[in-house]
């Protein structure tokens, strides 16, 4: 194993590091996406609540 050139070890270490960073970045992006979807869902639900309230008030007039 020590008979391999030193640069091969660097390449292997780079591949491992690249894989680690890919997994780490994908997990972070998933968290960001879920937070964004949750926020947009809350905005949508608030619009629905407001529309229901508006219709309820209009119906009672």
């Amino acid at each position: 194993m020590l008979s391999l050139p030193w640069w091969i070890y660097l390449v292997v270490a780079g591949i491992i590091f690249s894989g680690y960073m890919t997994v780490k970045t994908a997990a972070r992006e998933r968290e960001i996406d879920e937070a964004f979807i949750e926020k947009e869902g809350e905005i949508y639900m608030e619009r629905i609540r407001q529309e229901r309230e508006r219709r309820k008030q209009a119906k009672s007039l």
Side-chain angles (χ1 to χ4, degrees), residues 27-49:
R28 180 68 180 136
E29 284 183 4
R30 187 171 36 253
E31 290 174 8
I32 291 170
D33 286 345
E34 287 176 6
F36 177 76
I37 290 168
E38 182 70 26
K39 180 182 173 190
E40 289 297 313
E42 286 298 320
I43 292 170
Y44 179 72
M45 291 305 291
E46 184 60 32
R47 285 186 198 154
I48 290 174
R49 285 186 206 105

